[in-house]
C-alpha cells in the first residue's frame, strides 16, 4: 500500500509531448513558425461557419458527426460508415492503440516518426520499435525488419513530420504486401494536400480494398483549423466499428463540425494555401542552403534545417531567431538536436527568417 494513488506501470516513464512554443518574453506578437500551422489561417467560409455555430453551443454535438461524415465522404469519395472522427488525428491514433494493443505488444514507426504514435502506445503498456532513417527517410525494408510476432500496428507518416520526407505509392504498396494481415498499417497523411511530387499518391484507394489499412487526415494543416482539433481516419468497417465501441460519444465539437464542413468546400482557400507553400518552400530551401546550412527536401509546409557547425549550432540559431521575434521548432525530442523545423510562413515572415539566418550565418 502507498500513501497516494499510483499510476499504472510505465506511465511515469513516458516523456510528455511538448508542442511548439507560442510566446517570447517581451515580444507582443512574435512570428510563430513552430507548429506547421497554415500561415493564411482559416478561410473566410470556415470562420463564418464557426461564428454562426455559437447559437448552438449549448447543445451536444451529433455523436456520429453525420454532417461532417457525409461531407468528407463526398469530398474524398469514401464510404461514410468507414470513417472515424477524432479530436485531431492524434485521438484517432490513441483510439487505435487502445483498441488493438495489449501489454507486451508493440508498434513500429520510423526513428523520427510523430511522437503521438508512441505516447498512447506506451500508455497501453505496449513497447515502441523504431526503424532507422539514415537519410532522414523511412523505407519499407527498414520497417519490415522491425516487425515481429508481437507487432500489432505499424505507423507511417507520408509526408513525415519533422523530416519532410515521403514514401512513394510503390513503397507503401510494398510495405503493405510485406505485412501479415493481422497487423494494422496506419498511414498518416496530415500534410497530403501540400505534396507536389508525382510519385506520391494518397493511400485511400489502397485502403478501400484492404482489411488492415487506416489512412488518417487532419483539418489542422491545409484547412487552418488547428485550434478546433478535427481529424479523421478511413478504416476497414470492422476496425471502425471496433473503435466506435470505445470512442467517447461527443468527441468532436459543434463549432468544429460546422467549420470543418465549410473548410472542406472552400477550394479557393485550399488553393491559396498550397500556392503559398509551393512558392516559398523552394525559396527558403535555396536561401538557407546558401548560408551554409543543410536543408532537407520537404513535401510538407515546413523545412528541416540542420546546423552542422559547432559555432553556429541549432540552439544558438534558435536563440538568435527568438531575438528577432521568430519562433521555430527545436526537434531534439525527435533525436535531432542539431536541427530546427521551420514552418513556411507568409511572404513577410519568410523574408524575416531568411534575413535573420543570413545575419546569424555571418555572425
Amino acid at each position: 500500500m502507498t500513501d497516494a494513488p499510483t499510476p499504472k506501470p510505465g506511465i511515469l516513464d513516458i516523456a510528455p509531448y511538448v508542442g511548439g512554443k507560442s510566446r517570447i518574453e517581451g515580444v507582443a506578437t512574435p512570428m510563430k513558425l513552430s507548429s506547421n500551422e497554415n500561415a493564411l489561417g482559416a478561410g473566410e467560409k470556415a470562420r463564418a461557419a464557426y461564428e454562426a455555430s455559437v447559437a448552438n453551443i449549448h447543445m451536444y454535438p451529433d455523436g456520429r458527426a453525420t454532417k461532417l461524415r457525409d461531407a468528407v465522404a463526398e469530398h474524398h469519395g469514401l464510404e461514410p460508415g468507414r470513417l472515424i472522427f477524432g479530436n485531431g488525428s492524434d485521438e484517432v491514433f490513441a483510439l487505435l492503440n487502445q483498441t488493438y494493443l495489449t501489454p507486451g505488444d508493440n508498434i513500429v514507426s520510423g526513428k523520427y516518426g510523430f511522437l503521438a504514435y508512441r505516447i498512447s502506445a506506451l500508455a497501453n503498456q505496449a513497447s515502441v520499435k523504431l526503424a532507422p532513417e539514415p537519410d532522414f527517410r523511412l523505407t519499407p525494408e527498414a520497417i519490415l525488419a522491425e516487425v515481429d510476432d508481437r507487432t500489432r500496428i505499424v505507423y507511417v507518416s507520408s509526408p513525415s513530420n519533422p523530416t519532410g520526407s515521403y514514401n512513394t505509392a510503390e513503397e507503401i504498396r510494398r510495405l503493405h504486401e510485406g505485412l501479415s494481415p493481422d497487423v494494422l498499417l496506419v498511414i498518416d497523411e496530415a500534410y497530403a494536400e501540400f505534396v507536389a511530387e508525382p510519385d506520391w499518391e494518397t493511400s485511400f484507394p489502397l485502403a478501400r480494398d484492404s482489411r488492415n489499412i487506416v489512412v488518417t487526415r487532419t483539418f489542422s494543416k491545409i484547412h487552418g483549423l488547428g485550434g478546433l482539433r478535427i481529424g479523421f481516419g478511413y478504416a476497414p468497417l470492422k476496425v471502425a466499428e471496433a473503435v466506435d465501441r470505445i470512442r467517447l460519444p461527443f468527441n468532436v465539437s459543434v463549432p468544429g463540425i460546422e467549420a470543418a464542413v465549410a473548410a472542406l468546400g472552400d477550394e479557393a482557400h485550399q488553393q491559396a494555401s498550397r500556392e503559398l507553400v509551393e512558392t516559398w518552400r523552394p525559396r527558403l530551401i535555396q536561401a538557407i542552403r546558401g548560408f551554409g546550412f543543410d536543408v532537407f527536401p520537404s513535401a510538407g509546409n515546413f523545412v528541416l534545417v540542420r546546423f552542422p557547425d559547432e559555432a553556429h549550432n541549432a540552439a544558438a540559431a534558435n536563440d538568435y531567431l527568438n531575438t528577432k521575434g521568430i519562433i521555430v521548432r527545436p526537434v531534439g525530442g525527435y533525436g535531432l538536436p542539431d536541427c530546427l523545423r521551420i514552418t513556411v510562413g507568409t511572404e513577410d515572415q519568410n523574408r524575416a527568417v531568411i534575413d535573420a539566418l543570413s545575419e546569424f550565418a555571418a555572425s
Side-chain angles (χ1 to χ4, degrees), residues 154-187:
V154 168
Y155 283 98
V156 174
S157 45
S158 181
S160 179
N161 168 32
T163 65
S165 63
Y166 69 96
N167 290 104
T168 67
E170 188 276 332
E171 287 174 327
I172 294 293
R173 284 192 289 270
R174 196 162 77 241
L175 171 59
H176 181 235
E177 289 168 0
L179 290 173
S180 171
D182 62 346
V183 176
L184 196 64
L185 173 59
V186 181
I187 305 165

Side-chain angles (χ1 to χ4, degrees), residues 312-330:
H312 294 82
N313 57 48
N318 184 58
D319 290 343
Y320 190 82
L321 289 167
N322 282 181
T323 68
K324 300 296 183 179
I326 301 169
I327 304 174
V328 297
R329 180 68 186 272

Side-chain angles (χ1 to χ4, degrees), residues 26 33 41 56 72 101 107 110 137 143 149 152 155-156 227 235 247 253 258 263 280 315-316 320 347:
L33 302 174
N56 295 316
V72 167
L101 298 178
I107 69 164
R137 191 172 182 280
I143 280 279
D149 59 359
R152 295 292 175 262
Y155 283 98
V156 174
R247 178 187 60 82
S253 72
E258 296 297 332
W280 278 100
Y320 190 82
E347 178 174 350

Side-chain angles (χ1 to χ4, degrees), residues 7-15 93-95 97-99 101-105 107 115-128:
K8 66 184 180 182
I11 293 296
L12 297 183
D13 297 325
I14 300 172
F93 307 141
L95 288 168
N97 285 342
Q98 188 178 352
T99 302
L101 298 178
T102 60
D105 291 338
I107 69 164
L115 296 177
Y117 311 148
R118 314 177 196 180
I119 292 174
S120 62
L122 294 170
N124 284 284
Q125 296 178 289
S127 60
V128 178

Side-chain angles (χ1 to χ4, degrees), residues 64-73 83 85 219 230-231 252 256-258 260-261 264:
R64 291 281 292 166
T66 305
K67 184 175 182 179
L68 180 56
R69 180 180 299 273
D70 291 344
V72 167
L83 295 173
F85 287 92
F219 281 82
I230 303 287
V252 181
I257 291 171
E258 296 297 332
V261 170
L264 207 59

Side-chain angles (χ1 to χ4, degrees), residues 124-148:
N124 284 284
Q125 296 178 289
S127 60
V128 178
K129 303 183 71 177
L130 299 178
E133 299 184 53
D135 299 314
F136 287 3
R137 191 172 182 280
L138 188 61
T139 66
E141 291 73 23
I143 280 279
L144 291 171
E146 297 297 326
V147 173
D148 60 27

Side-chain angles (χ1 to χ4, degrees), residues 35-50:
S35 298
N36 299 343
E37 292 146 337
N38 188 324
L40 300 182
E44 291 183 10
K45 292 182 179 179
R47 292 198 302 270
Y50 175 87

